[in-house]
Amino acid sequence: MKNNKPKRIIGISGSPRRHGNTEILLDRALEVAKRKGAKVKKIFINELKFSPCQECKNIRKDGVCIIRDDWQILCSEIEKADGIILASPIFFGSVSAQTKMMIDRFQCLWLAKNIFKTYKTKKRKAGAFICVEASNRKDFFINAKSIVRNFFTTIDTDYRGELFCSEIDKKGTAREHPECLKKASNIGKRILSL
Ligand SMILES: Cc1cc2nc3c(=O)[nH]c(=O)nc-3n(C[C@H](O)[C@H](O)[C@H](O)COP(=O)(O)O)c2cc1C
């Protein structure tokens, strides 16, 4: 029987700059997904209040982080989603600190899956990664991608699409890159068919 429930797509922006280049490309992907019938939600990590991972001593073994803060909001949205589009600018050759801080908090899940073996995958999700940088350094994208792939594996998400945009720096200039906007649209379209 066909499931007619709209797919839930969550867009996560790791840029501290509102309406900047990362968000412009993420918005384009989300707009297209919405037009195609998805239920979309955007989360701006920088506006949440949560701590970085504290390597807590008395951790739970079921994959749930014991720190109660806004990261839990993010975690529950990710759990409910069918697809995730993670978007980050390149900062010092890697994903932004906001993005990395969010990812590190999933260490409890990584441990439950890989060390305690207490966690069973509930549902698999489709994932895509959007990344923007001022320079033209492939190695920075490779670096960021490897972190995001590792994260996606941990949250049961298949890495299915990517968009790397170079030479975009000044706020809003992503709008002047039609080829990047087009690829962002394709990510929005494809995330539903994955
Ligand atoms: C703290 C910081 C570090 C950055 N590091 C790099 C870098 O290592 N390589 C690069 O190409 N661009 C770097 N950039 C430039 C951003 O990646 C670029 O301006 C991007 O378009 C910003 O996206 P946003 O508007 O979504 O924030 C850096 C910018 C900042 C603020």
PDB file of all heavy atoms in Angstrom, residues 123-155:
ATOM      1  N   LYS A 123      14.509   4.058  11.486  1.00  0.00           N
ATOM      2  CA  LYS A 123      14.243   4.211  10.050  1.00  0.00           C
ATOM      3  C   LYS A 123      15.430   4.911   9.404  1.00  0.00           C
ATOM      4  O   LYS A 123      16.098   5.731  10.030  1.00  0.00           O
ATOM      5  CB  LYS A 123      12.956   4.994   9.811  1.00  0.00           C
ATOM      6  CG  LYS A 123      13.028   6.473  10.095  1.00  0.00           C
ATOM      7  CD  LYS A 123      11.795   7.199   9.554  1.00  0.00           C
ATOM      8  CE  LYS A 123      11.841   8.653   9.986  1.00  0.00           C
ATOM      9  NZ  LYS A 123      10.692   9.423   9.741  1.00  0.00           N
ATOM     10  N   ARG A 124      15.654   4.571   8.147  1.00  0.00           N
ATOM     11  CA  ARG A 124      16.756   5.216   7.458  1.00  0.00           C
ATOM     12  C   ARG A 124      16.256   6.499   6.802  1.00  0.00           C
ATOM     13  O   ARG A 124      15.104   6.604   6.410  1.00  0.00           O
ATOM     14  CB  ARG A 124      17.363   4.280   6.413  1.00  0.00           C
ATOM     15  CG  ARG A 124      18.066   3.092   7.054  1.00  0.00           C
ATOM     16  CD  ARG A 124      19.224   2.583   6.209  1.00  0.00           C
ATOM     17  NE  ARG A 124      20.342   3.506   6.139  1.00  0.00           N
ATOM     18  CZ  ARG A 124      21.285   3.618   7.078  1.00  0.00           C
ATOM     19  NH1 ARG A 124      21.229   2.901   8.174  1.00  0.00           N
ATOM     20  NH2 ARG A 124      22.286   4.466   6.921  1.00  0.00           N
ATOM     21  N   LYS A 125      17.135   7.474   6.731  1.00  0.00           N
ATOM     22  CA  LYS A 125      16.787   8.767   6.145  1.00  0.00           C
ATOM     23  C   LYS A 125      17.707   9.057   4.963  1.00  0.00           C
ATOM     24  O   LYS A 125      18.781   8.475   4.857  1.00  0.00           O
ATOM     25  CB  LYS A 125      16.988   9.870   7.190  1.00  0.00           C
ATOM     26  CG  LYS A 125      16.134   9.699   8.427  1.00  0.00           C
ATOM     27  CD  LYS A 125      16.437  10.797   9.426  1.00  0.00           C
ATOM     28  CE  LYS A 125      17.236  10.302  10.604  1.00  0.00           C
ATOM     29  NZ  LYS A 125      16.512   9.395  11.469  1.00  0.00           N
ATOM     30  N   ALA A 126      17.249   9.983   4.125  1.00  0.00           N
ATOM     31  CA  ALA A 126      18.103  10.435   3.022  1.00  0.00           C
ATOM     32  C   ALA A 126      18.786  11.725   3.458  1.00  0.00           C
ATOM     33  O   ALA A 126      18.174  12.555   4.141  1.00  0.00           O
ATOM     34  CB  ALA A 126      17.252  10.691   1.784  1.00  0.00           C
ATOM     35  N   GLY A 127      20.021  11.891   3.068  1.00  0.00           N
ATOM     36  CA  GLY A 127      20.748  13.091   3.480  1.00  0.00           C
ATOM     37  C   GLY A 127      21.477  13.766   2.343  1.00  0.00           C
ATOM     38  O   GLY A 127      21.893  13.122   1.377  1.00  0.00           O
ATOM     39  N   ALA A 128      21.580  15.084   2.448  1.00  0.00           N
ATOM     40  CA  ALA A 128      22.370  15.843   1.472  1.00  0.00           C
ATOM     41  C   ALA A 128      23.133  16.925   2.220  1.00  0.00           C
ATOM     42  O   ALA A 128      22.717  17.369   3.292  1.00  0.00           O
ATOM     43  CB  ALA A 128      21.458  16.450   0.415  1.00  0.00           C
ATOM     44  N   PHE A 129      24.243  17.310   1.630  1.00  0.00           N
ATOM     45  CA  PHE A 129      25.125  18.293   2.275  1.00  0.00           C
ATOM     46  C   PHE A 129      25.375  19.470   1.329  1.00  0.00           C
ATOM     47  O   PHE A 129      25.744  19.274   0.170  1.00  0.00           O
ATOM     48  CB  PHE A 129      26.456  17.597   2.635  1.00  0.00           C
ATOM     49  CG  PHE A 129      27.488  18.483   3.274  1.00  0.00           C
ATOM     50  CD1 PHE A 129      27.140  19.434   4.227  1.00  0.00           C
ATOM     51  CD2 PHE A 129      28.838  18.352   2.937  1.00  0.00           C
ATOM     52  CE1 PHE A 129      28.104  20.244   4.832  1.00  0.00           C
ATOM     53  CE2 PHE A 129      29.812  19.145   3.542  1.00  0.00           C
ATOM     54  CZ  PHE A 129      29.438  20.093   4.484  1.00  0.00           C
ATOM     55  N   ILE A 130      25.151  20.672   1.845  1.00  0.00           N
ATOM     56  CA  ILE A 130      25.433  21.899   1.079  1.00  0.00           C
ATOM     57  C   ILE A 130      26.566  22.630   1.794  1.00  0.00           C
ATOM     58  O   ILE A 130      26.528  22.794   3.017  1.00  0.00           O
ATOM     59  CB  ILE A 130      24.179  22.805   1.021  1.00  0.00           C
ATOM     60  CG1 ILE A 130      23.064  22.126   0.211  1.00  0.00           C
ATOM     61  CG2 ILE A 130      24.524  24.176   0.442  1.00  0.00           C
ATOM     62  CD1 ILE A 130      21.747  22.895   0.182  1.00  0.00           C
ATOM     63  N   CYS A 131      27.566  23.060   1.038  1.00  0.00           N
ATOM     64  CA  CYS A 131      28.720  23.705   1.663  1.00  0.00           C
ATOM     65  C   CYS A 131      29.235  24.854   0.779  1.00  0.00           C
ATOM     66  O   CYS A 131      29.290  24.729  -0.443  1.00  0.00           O
ATOM     67  CB  CYS A 131      29.810  22.650   1.876  1.00  0.00           C
ATOM     68  SG  CYS A 131      31.073  23.122   3.044  1.00  0.00           S
ATOM     69  N   VAL A 132      29.571  25.960   1.414  1.00  0.00           N
ATOM     70  CA  VAL A 132      30.000  27.175   0.697  1.00  0.00           C
ATOM     71  C   VAL A 132      31.350  27.637   1.232  1.00  0.00           C
ATOM     72  O   VAL A 132      31.577  27.579   2.438  1.00  0.00           O
ATOM     73  CB  VAL A 132      29.005  28.339   0.952  1.00  0.00           C
ATOM     74  CG1 VAL A 132      29.205  29.462  -0.048  1.00  0.00           C
ATOM     75  CG2 VAL A 132      27.571  27.874   0.946  1.00  0.00           C
ATOM     76  N   GLU A 133      32.201  28.129   0.349  1.00  0.00           N
ATOM     77  CA  GLU A 133      33.480  28.681   0.819  1.00  0.00           C
ATOM     78  C   GLU A 133      33.880  29.882  -0.027  1.00  0.00           C
ATOM     79  O   GLU A 133      33.420  30.039  -1.160  1.00  0.00           O
ATOM     80  CB  GLU A 133      34.594  27.617   0.766  1.00  0.00           C
ATOM     81  CG  GLU A 133      34.961  27.215  -0.667  1.00  0.00           C
ATOM     82  CD  GLU A 133      36.148  26.257  -0.770  1.00  0.00           C
ATOM     83  OE1 GLU A 133      36.651  25.772   0.247  1.00  0.00           O
ATOM     84  OE2 GLU A 133      36.576  26.005  -1.920  1.00  0.00           O
ATOM     85  N   ALA A 134      34.758  30.709   0.543  1.00  0.00           N
ATOM     86  CA  ALA A 134      35.219  31.907  -0.161  1.00  0.00           C
ATOM     87  C   ALA A 134      36.313  31.555  -1.167  1.00  0.00           C
ATOM     88  O   ALA A 134      36.419  32.167  -2.235  1.00  0.00           O
ATOM     89  CB  ALA A 134      35.753  32.912   0.844  1.00  0.00           C
ATOM     90  N   SER A 135      37.126  30.576  -0.834  1.00  0.00           N
ATOM     91  CA  SER A 135      38.266  30.216  -1.677  1.00  0.00           C
ATOM     92  C   SER A 135      37.851  29.171  -2.709  1.00  0.00           C
ATOM     93  O   SER A 135      36.658  28.980  -2.964  1.00  0.00           O
ATOM     94  CB  SER A 135      39.382  29.649  -0.793  1.00  0.00           C
ATOM     95  OG  SER A 135      38.918  28.466  -0.175  1.00  0.00           O
ATOM     96  N   ASN A 136      38.839  28.522  -3.271  1.00  0.00           N
ATOM     97  CA  ASN A 136      38.550  27.447  -4.220  1.00  0.00           C
ATOM     98  C   ASN A 136      39.382  26.233  -3.820  1.00  0.00           C
ATOM     99  O   ASN A 136      40.237  25.789  -4.565  1.00  0.00           O
ATOM    100  CB  ASN A 136      38.900  27.936  -5.631  1.00  0.00           C
ATOM    101  CG  ASN A 136      38.359  26.997  -6.681  1.00  0.00           C
ATOM    102  OD1 ASN A 136      37.758  25.970  -6.356  1.00  0.00           O
ATOM    103  ND2 ASN A 136      38.578  27.305  -7.940  1.00  0.00           N
ATOM    104  N   ARG A 137      39.149  25.736  -2.610  1.00  0.00           N
ATOM    105  CA  ARG A 137      39.963  24.660  -2.062  1.00  0.00           C
ATOM    106  C   ARG A 137      39.139  23.385  -1.955  1.00  0.00           C
ATOM    107  O   ARG A 137      38.275  23.256  -1.082  1.00  0.00           O
ATOM    108  CB  ARG A 137      40.468  25.082  -0.674  1.00  0.00           C
ATOM    109  CG  ARG A 137      41.473  26.222  -0.682  1.00  0.00           C
ATOM    110  CD  ARG A 137      42.880  25.701  -0.890  1.00  0.00           C
ATOM    111  NE  ARG A 137      43.287  24.750   0.121  1.00  0.00           N
ATOM    112  CZ  ARG A 137      44.125  25.018   1.125  1.00  0.00           C
ATOM    113  NH1 ARG A 137      44.645  26.224   1.248  1.00  0.00           N
ATOM    114  NH2 ARG A 137      44.459  24.084   1.993  1.00  0.00           N
ATOM    115  N   LYS A 138      39.472  22.454  -2.860  1.00  0.00           N
ATOM    116  CA  LYS A 138      38.759  21.154  -2.852  1.00  0.00           C
ATOM    117  C   LYS A 138      38.986  20.409  -1.539  1.00  0.00           C
ATOM    118  O   LYS A 138      38.108  19.723  -1.033  1.00  0.00           O
ATOM    119  CB  LYS A 138      39.253  20.292  -4.019  1.00  0.00           C
ATOM    120  CG  LYS A 138      38.635  20.659  -5.353  1.00  0.00           C
ATOM    121  CD  LYS A 138      38.762  19.480  -6.332  1.00  0.00           C
ATOM    122  CE  LYS A 138      38.140  19.798  -7.673  1.00  0.00           C
ATOM    123  NZ  LYS A 138      38.960  20.730  -8.484  1.00  0.00           N
ATOM    124  N   ASP A 139      40.226  20.548  -0.998  1.00  0.00           N
ATOM    125  CA  ASP A 139      40.545  19.792   0.220  1.00  0.00           C
ATOM    126  C   ASP A 139      39.673  20.205   1.407  1.00  0.00           C
ATOM    127  O   ASP A 139      39.367  19.389   2.274  1.00  0.00           O
ATOM    128  CB  ASP A 139      42.044  19.902   0.568  1.00  0.00           C
ATOM    129  CG  ASP A 139      42.528  21.337   0.672  1.00  0.00           C
ATOM    130  OD1 ASP A 139      41.946  22.224   0.009  1.00  0.00           O
ATOM    131  OD2 ASP A 139      43.482  21.588   1.430  1.00  0.00           O
ATOM    132  N   PHE A 140      39.228  21.464   1.426  1.00  0.00           N
ATOM    133  CA  PHE A 140      38.347  21.899   2.516  1.00  0.00           C
ATOM    134  C   PHE A 140      36.993  21.186   2.419  1.00  0.00           C
ATOM    135  O   PHE A 140      36.428  20.757   3.426  1.00  0.00           O
ATOM    136  CB  PHE A 140      38.147  23.418   2.478  1.00  0.00           C
ATOM    137  CG  PHE A 140      39.370  24.225   2.854  1.00  0.00           C
ATOM    138  CD1 PHE A 140      39.402  25.597   2.665  1.00  0.00           C
ATOM    139  CD2 PHE A 140      40.487  23.617   3.415  1.00  0.00           C
ATOM    140  CE1 PHE A 140      40.520  26.348   3.020  1.00  0.00           C
ATOM    141  CE2 PHE A 140      41.613  24.356   3.772  1.00  0.00           C
ATOM    142  CZ  PHE A 140      41.629  25.725   3.573  1.00  0.00           C
ATOM    143  N   PHE A 141      36.493  21.074   1.188  1.00  0.00           N
ATOM    144  CA  PHE A 141      35.220  20.376   0.999  1.00  0.00           C
ATOM    145  C   PHE A 141      35.357  18.884   1.356  1.00  0.00           C
ATOM    146  O   PHE A 141      34.471  18.291   1.960  1.00  0.00           O
ATOM    147  CB  PHE A 141      34.714  20.520  -0.436  1.00  0.00           C
ATOM    148  CG  PHE A 141      34.180  21.901  -0.771  1.00  0.00           C
ATOM    149  CD1 PHE A 141      34.477  22.497  -1.983  1.00  0.00           C
ATOM    150  CD2 PHE A 141      33.367  22.582   0.126  1.00  0.00           C
ATOM    151  CE1 PHE A 141      33.981  23.757  -2.300  1.00  0.00           C
ATOM    152  CE2 PHE A 141      32.857  23.842  -0.182  1.00  0.00           C
ATOM    153  CZ  PHE A 141      33.172  24.432  -1.396  1.00  0.00           C
ATOM    154  N   ILE A 142      36.496  18.303   0.962  1.00  0.00           N
ATOM    155  CA  ILE A 142      36.725  16.875   1.271  1.00  0.00           C
ATOM    156  C   ILE A 142      36.727  16.673   2.794  1.00  0.00           C
ATOM    157  O   ILE A 142      36.130  15.739   3.321  1.00  0.00           O
ATOM    158  CB  ILE A 142      38.053  16.388   0.631  1.00  0.00           C
ATOM    159  CG1 ILE A 142      37.908  16.355  -0.893  1.00  0.00           C
ATOM    160  CG2 ILE A 142      38.465  15.013   1.163  1.00  0.00           C
ATOM    161  CD1 ILE A 142      39.216  16.168  -1.651  1.00  0.00           C
ATOM    162  N   ASN A 143      37.391  17.606   3.471  1.00  0.00           N
ATOM    163  CA  ASN A 143      37.458  17.561   4.934  1.00  0.00           C
ATOM    164  C   ASN A 143      36.056  17.643   5.556  1.00  0.00           C
ATOM    165  O   ASN A 143      35.666  16.814   6.385  1.00  0.00           O
ATOM    166  CB  ASN A 143      38.318  18.754   5.386  1.00  0.00           C
ATOM    167  CG  ASN A 143      38.745  18.654   6.813  1.00  0.00           C
ATOM    168  OD1 ASN A 143      38.825  17.567   7.351  1.00  0.00           O
ATOM    169  ND2 ASN A 143      39.016  19.786   7.434  1.00  0.00           N
ATOM    170  N   ALA A 144      35.288  18.650   5.113  1.00  0.00           N
ATOM    171  CA  ALA A 144      33.932  18.852   5.656  1.00  0.00           C
ATOM    172  C   ALA A 144      33.048  17.644   5.334  1.00  0.00           C
ATOM    173  O   ALA A 144      32.288  17.164   6.181  1.00  0.00           O
ATOM    174  CB  ALA A 144      33.332  20.133   5.078  1.00  0.00           C
ATOM    175  N   LYS A 145      33.182  17.152   4.111  1.00  0.00           N
ATOM    176  CA  LYS A 145      32.359  16.013   3.685  1.00  0.00           C
ATOM    177  C   LYS A 145      32.616  14.779   4.551  1.00  0.00           C
ATOM    178  O   LYS A 145      31.691  14.058   4.908  1.00  0.00           O
ATOM    179  CB  LYS A 145      32.669  15.707   2.208  1.00  0.00           C
ATOM    180  CG  LYS A 145      31.998  14.474   1.669  1.00  0.00           C
ATOM    181  CD  LYS A 145      32.303  14.317   0.197  1.00  0.00           C
ATOM    182  CE  LYS A 145      31.767  12.995  -0.330  1.00  0.00           C
ATOM    183  NZ  LYS A 145      31.857  12.908  -1.786  1.00  0.00           N
ATOM    184  N   SER A 146      33.884  14.560   4.890  1.00  0.00           N
ATOM    185  CA  SER A 146      34.191  13.372   5.678  1.00  0.00           C
ATOM    186  C   SER A 146      33.544  13.457   7.067  1.00  0.00           C
ATOM    187  O   SER A 146      33.053  12.457   7.602  1.00  0.00           O
ATOM    188  CB  SER A 146      35.704  13.166   5.689  1.00  0.00           C
ATOM    189  OG  SER A 146      36.192  13.095   6.967  1.00  0.00           O
ATOM    190  N   ILE A 147      33.481  14.651   7.634  1.00  0.00           N
ATOM    191  CA  ILE A 147      32.827  14.832   8.941  1.00  0.00           C
ATOM    192  C   ILE A 147      31.319  14.582   8.801  1.00  0.00           C
ATOM    193  O   ILE A 147      30.702  13.883   9.612  1.00  0.00           O
ATOM    194  CB  ILE A 147      33.088  16.268   9.474  1.00  0.00           C
ATOM    195  CG1 ILE A 147      34.573  16.452   9.767  1.00  0.00           C
ATOM    196  CG2 ILE A 147      32.236  16.572  10.713  1.00  0.00           C
ATOM    197  CD1 ILE A 147      35.023  17.893   9.923  1.00  0.00           C
ATOM    198  N   VAL A 148      30.739  15.141   7.733  1.00  0.00           N
ATOM    199  CA  VAL A 148      29.283  15.026   7.550  1.00  0.00           C
ATOM    200  C   VAL A 148      28.887  13.577   7.232  1.00  0.00           C
ATOM    201  O   VAL A 148      27.880  13.075   7.727  1.00  0.00           O
ATOM    202  CB  VAL A 148      28.794  16.025   6.473  1.00  0.00           C
ATOM    203  CG1 VAL A 148      27.338  15.776   6.108  1.00  0.00           C
ATOM    204  CG2 VAL A 148      28.981  17.453   6.968  1.00  0.00           C
ATOM    205  N   ARG A 149      29.699  12.893   6.454  1.00  0.00           N
ATOM    206  CA  ARG A 149      29.401  11.479   6.144  1.00  0.00           C
ATOM    207  C   ARG A 149      29.388  10.648   7.424  1.00  0.00           C
ATOM    208  O   ARG A 149      28.524   9.810   7.635  1.00  0.00           O
ATOM    209  CB  ARG A 149      30.463  10.899   5.208  1.00  0.00           C
ATOM    210  CG  ARG A 149      30.287  11.287   3.773  1.00  0.00           C
ATOM    211  CD  ARG A 149      31.132  10.368   2.908  1.00  0.00           C
ATOM    212  NE  ARG A 149      30.397   9.160   2.635  1.00  0.00           N
ATOM    213  CZ  ARG A 149      29.895   8.839   1.442  1.00  0.00           C
ATOM    214  NH1 ARG A 149      30.100   9.626   0.423  1.00  0.00           N
ATOM    215  NH2 ARG A 149      29.223   7.747   1.271  1.00  0.00           N
ATOM    216  N   ASN A 150      30.376  10.909   8.263  1.00  0.00           N
ATOM    217  CA  ASN A 150      30.482  10.206   9.538  1.00  0.00           C
ATOM    218  C   ASN A 150      29.243  10.485  10.400  1.00  0.00           C
ATOM    219  O   ASN A 150      28.641   9.585  10.991  1.00  0.00           O
ATOM    220  CB  ASN A 150      31.769  10.708  10.222  1.00  0.00           C
ATOM    221  CG  ASN A 150      32.172   9.870  11.402  1.00  0.00           C
ATOM    222  OD1 ASN A 150      31.442   8.995  11.825  1.00  0.00           O
ATOM    223  ND2 ASN A 150      33.334  10.164  11.949  1.00  0.00           N
ATOM    224  N   PHE A 151      28.840  11.752  10.426  1.00  0.00           N
ATOM    225  CA  PHE A 151      27.642  12.147  11.176  1.00  0.00           C
ATOM    226  C   PHE A 151      26.400  11.452  10.611  1.00  0.00           C
ATOM    227  O   PHE A 151      25.602  10.872  11.365  1.00  0.00           O
ATOM    228  CB  PHE A 151      27.508  13.675  11.100  1.00  0.00           C
ATOM    229  CG  PHE A 151      26.191  14.215  11.576  1.00  0.00           C
ATOM    230  CD1 PHE A 151      25.695  13.897  12.838  1.00  0.00           C
ATOM    231  CD2 PHE A 151      25.436  15.059  10.768  1.00  0.00           C
ATOM    232  CE1 PHE A 151      24.475  14.405  13.277  1.00  0.00           C
ATOM    233  CE2 PHE A 151      24.215  15.561  11.203  1.00  0.00           C
ATOM    234  CZ  PHE A 151      23.731  15.237  12.453  1.00  0.00           C
ATOM    235  N   PHE A 152      26.245  11.500   9.298  1.00  0.00           N
ATOM    236  CA  PHE A 152      25.064  10.883   8.672  1.00  0.00           C
ATOM    237  C   PHE A 152      25.000   9.383   8.995  1.00  0.00           C
ATOM    238  O   PHE A 152      23.943   8.844   9.280  1.00  0.00           O
ATOM    239  CB  PHE A 152      25.077  11.100   7.154  1.00  0.00           C
ATOM    240  CG  PHE A 152      24.549  12.454   6.714  1.00  0.00           C
ATOM    241  CD1 PHE A 152      24.127  13.407   7.627  1.00  0.00           C
ATOM    242  CD2 PHE A 152      24.460  12.772   5.362  1.00  0.00           C
ATOM    243  CE1 PHE A 152      23.633  14.646   7.208  1.00  0.00           C
ATOM    244  CE2 PHE A 152      23.966  14.009   4.933  1.00  0.00           C
ATOM    245  CZ  PHE A 152      23.554  14.935   5.860  1.00  0.00           C
ATOM    246  N   THR A 153      26.138   8.723   8.950  1.00  0.00           N
ATOM    247  CA  THR A 153      26.156   7.285   9.270  1.00  0.00           C
ATOM    248  C   THR A 153      25.629   7.071  10.692  1.00  0.00           C
ATOM    249  O   THR A 153      24.823   6.178  10.947  1.00  0.00           O
ATOM    250  CB  THR A 153      27.596   6.734   9.157  1.00  0.00           C
ATOM    251  OG1 THR A 153      28.051   6.979   7.841  1.00  0.00           O
ATOM    252  CG2 THR A 153      27.667   5.245   9.445  1.00  0.00           C
ATOM    253  N   THR A 154      26.070   7.919  11.594  1.00  0.00           N
ATOM    254  CA  THR A 154      25.656   7.781  12.997  1.00  0.00           C
ATOM    255  C   THR A 154      24.147   7.960  13.164  1.00  0.00           C
ATOM    256  O   THR A 154      23.514   7.278  13.958  1.00  0.00           O
ATOM    257  CB  THR A 154      26.425   8.801  13.872  1.00  0.00           C
ATOM    258  OG1 THR A 154      27.813   8.561  13.693  1.00  0.00           O
ATOM    259  CG2 THR A 154      26.070   8.698  15.344  1.00  0.00           C
ATOM    260  N   ILE A 155      23.555   8.879  12.383  1.00  0.00           N
ATOM    261  CA  ILE A 155      22.108   9.125  12.545  1.00  0.00           C
ATOM    262  C   ILE A 155      21.284   8.366  11.490  1.00  0.00           C
ATOM    263  O   ILE A 155      20.173   8.773  11.148  1.00  0.00           O
ATOM    264  CB  ILE A 155      21.779  10.636  12.556  1.00  0.00           C
ATOM    265  CG1 ILE A 155      22.221  11.320  11.247  1.00  0.00           C
ATOM    266  CG2 ILE A 155      22.390  11.337  13.762  1.00  0.00           C
ATOM    267  CD1 ILE A 155      21.620  12.702  11.042  1.00  0.00           C
TER     268      ILE A 155
END
